[in-house]
Amino acid sequence: MMHCVTCSAPVNIAVVKYWGKNDETLILPANSSVSVTLHQDQLQAQTSVAVSHHFEKDRIWLNGKEQCINNPRIQNVIREIKRRARKRKVSSRDTDTEKLNWKIHICSKNNFPTAAGLASSAAGYACLVYALKCLYDIDGDISAIARCGSGSACRSIHGGFVVWNKGEENDGTDSIARQIQPHTHWPDLRVLILVVNEQKKHTGSTEGMQITMKTSELLQGRIRCVPDKVEKINQAINDRDFQTFAEITMKDSNQMHACCLDTYPPISYLTDVSRRIIQLVHHFNRSCQQTKVAYTFDAGPNACLFLLKKDVQRFLHLVKQFFPPTTEEKDFIRGKTEELTETVSNGNEEDRSYFPLDPVADSLKYIIYTMPGPGPQELPPDQSLLDKDGLPKTLS
Ligand code: PMV
């Protein structure tokens, strides 16, 4: 007898960033954060979890390769889910209780390259927690469990626009994510992810946050002004006020990266190409005499841009002028390309006086065109990544 569940979960991009922990074990953030969940058609983690009395040990496969299951964060997640399931065992059937003692097989993959440097751990942990919730039939909030895998994963438990409240309790019970608005609330909001070509390996977010917490004076100032930003961006989302949303998003990204530079020794995630993207966005907004595009950067050089559907074509045309691709258009722009009615290269040249930038070829790998999307979902059994013996259908 084997019980198997397969689920998918999305990536999320913070518009008010989480940077710094008050508790490293419980993953309690120094400040609240706000994010947009991206559509799973373009970016998604998929996970199958199975339990059987035939399995000899717990095992996990990530992107086709077996990994050590003793990773403390994975263990924390499994332990917490089982604790919650046992709590409601009184009301559950005998088979449910038995399932809790069986060994577990976990198989997970992303539909996007991990090399793209996108928040794959957030989607991965959210997917694992959601699949375990379905498998053990748990009720109530699970964002706090996802948080114990990777902080930002708690926001991927919901679709649309999400706030992660830092919480006040020492045990982290109120450090949870909740939805501000579903993805359908702002139907013409679009997202472009500009994947930057780079070789450099940068400091991971866990380590980066630790050093910033210890050494940056600026971070203390940032932590004080976050509550006001959270309130204002919440309102801007409710009102679909793009100007305010965009301005807070850009300023908050700049502030987080300023704190990284204020860290000693300094951490710089942005590269020359990232900075050129920032310049291009500001020049574009100036030429439109309106804020039409917003950028934000996580712990890496890739840009995540927000804009409205009506402005995508014109902005993409500009991106191609200043970052000329060396690949064909179909490889360069991926995702929701059905919305691009004309090839992006056919358009009027922008007034160059607004753009004092020289084109640099081959500095972008590719662009993902996407939009806000829904939260995790359970998938039909035929989409399982595990076969009838509980082993991965494909390995790499
Ligand atoms: O959850 P982590 O440890 O991957 O940290 C995420 C940190 C940022 O992506 C830079 C900001 C955020 O809020 O997602």
Side-chain angles (χ1 to χ4, degrees):
M1 177 82 154
M2 180 174 95
H3 290 273
C4 183
V5 170
T6 301
C7 292
S8 68
V11 163
N12 75 79
I13 298 289
V15 287
V16 174
K17 308 283 185 196
Y18 142 57
W19 197 255
K21 295 180 184 64
N22 284 340
D23 187 311
E24 293 282 336
T25 321
L26 292 171
I27 314 199
L28 300 181
N31 61 267
S32 298
S33 53
V34 177
S35 62
V36 179
T37 295
L38 303 186
H39 208 288
Q40 295 183 47
D41 282 354
Q42 283 75 44
L43 301 160
Q44 149 185 106
Q46 195 181 326
T47 303
S48 295
V49 288
V51 285
S52 165
H53 65 276
H54 290 305
F55 295 167
E56 286 167 7
K57 54 177 186 173
D58 291 341
R59 295 177 78 178
I60 185 165
W61 294 265
L62 298 180
N63 292 318
K65 288 200 178 73
E66 183 154 17
Q67 310 279 328
C68 175
I69 189 118
N70 292 330
N71 170 326
R73 290 189 177 186
I74 297 175
Q75 290 300 325
N76 284 349
V77 162
I78 298 176
R79 194 182 324 108
E80 188 52 28
I81 287 268
K82 288 194 170 181
R83 192 185 67 78
R84 288 267 291 273
R86 282 202 184 91
K87 242 169 91 179
R88 60 188 296 272
K89 133 179 137 188
V90 207
S91 59
S92 60
R93 299 184 305 270
D94 281 353
T95 48
D96 287 341
T97 325
E98 219 182 294
K99 265 201 285 186
L100 283 166
N101 298 322
W102 293 348
K103 299 293 178 200
I104 186 163
H105 284 187
I106 302 166
C107 188
S108 187
K109 65 165 197 192
N110 300 327
N111 75 346
F112 55 94
T114 332
L118 300 163
S120 55
S121 68
Y125 274 108
C127 204
L128 173 63
V129 170
Y130 194 81
L132 291 172
K133 162 205 149 85
C134 297
L135 184 79
Y136 295 116
D137 200 14
I138 287 165
D139 302 320
D141 171 78
I142 52 162
S143 74
I145 306 179
R147 191 198 74 225
C148 299
S150 156
S152 57
C154 72
R155 298 185 311 235
S156 276
I157 289 293
H158 302 289
F161 303 85
V162 181
V163 61
W164 170 16
N165 282 319
K166 79 185 257 294
E168 301 303 329
E169 302 296 333
N170 289 336
D171 63 359
T173 43
D174 59 346
S175 186
I176 59 177
R178 72 172 172 83
Q179 187 177 71
I180 301 171
Q181 290 287 352
H183 68 287
T184 47
H185 167 75
W186 204 341
D188 55 344
L189 189 65
R190 293 291 179 273
V191 178
L192 292 171
I193 297 165
L194 274 48
V195 179
V196 171
N197 247 333
E198 57 119 27
Q199 279 85 43
K200 218 177 62 193
K201 185 106 191 87
H202 32 75
T203 321
S205 57
T206 306
E207 191 193 345
M209 283 183 207
Q210 272 170 1
I211 323 175
T212 309
M213 275 300 269
K214 266 200 210 124
T215 62
S216 167
E217 288 165 19
L218 276 188
L219 186 73
Q220 297 314 314
R222 164 174 169 70
I223 290 169
R224 277 195 297 276
C225 65
V226 167
D228 184 52
K229 284 200 240 196
V230 169
E231 202 185 306
K232 290 200 169 110
I233 206 160
N234 204 326
Q235 191 60 47
I237 291 167
N238 285 335
D239 298 344
R240 292 184 214 94
D241 169 0
F242 186 79
Q243 302 273 321
T244 311
F245 171 81
E247 207 169 291
I248 298 175
T249 298
M250 291 189 276
K251 285 185 173 172
D252 189 73
S253 170
N254 294 340
Q255 192 178 63
M256 182 200 108
H257 290 279
C259 292
C260 290
L261 275 186
D262 186 48
T263 299
Y264 192 79
I267 306 168
S268 45
Y269 290 115
L270 306 184
T271 62
D272 285 348
V273 180
S274 318
R275 280 183 285 272
R276 284 175 56 85
I277 297 169
I278 293 176
Q279 280 177 297
L280 188 67
V281 169
H282 285 294
H283 289 311
F284 181 74
N285 287 340
R286 195 163 50 106
S287 78
C288 299
Q289 294 176 329
Q290 209 184 349
T291 306
K292 283 188 174 275
V293 182
Y295 53 78
T296 184
F297 295 82
D298 280 347
N302 299 327
C304 178
L305 308 181
F306 291 94
L307 69 178
L308 298 179
K309 186 180 170 190
K310 63 177 170 54
D311 299 317
V312 170
Q313 197 110 344
R314 181 170 164 207
F315 185 73
L316 272 179
H317 173 62
L318 190 70
V319 170
K320 285 188 63 174
Q321 259 181 273
F322 287 93
F323 300 97
T326 49
T327 51
E328 279 182 54
E329 175 139 334
K330 69 170 176 36
D331 297 321
F332 190 60
I333 303 175
R334 307 173 185 190
K336 291 186 70 61
T337 48
E338 72 282 359
E339 278 189 5
L340 306 171
T341 48
E342 50 182 300
T343 52
V344 169
S345 47
N346 300 340
N348 295 326
E349 296 290 301
E350 295 285 344
D351 178 353
R352 292 292 289 264
S353 62
Y354 277 110
F355 303 101
L357 294 167
D358 293 323
V360 179
D362 202 26
S363 46
L364 292 186
K365 237 191 238 167
Y366 55 86
I367 297 173
I368 303 171
Y369 180 24
T370 185
M371 66 187 291
Q377 291 155 17
E378 186 169 349
L379 302 175
D382 63 344
Q383 294 206 37
S384 176
L385 303 175
L386 294 167
D387 65 16
K388 60 175 181 20
D389 299 317
L391 294 171
K393 287 182 180 166
T394 50
L395 285 172
S396 60

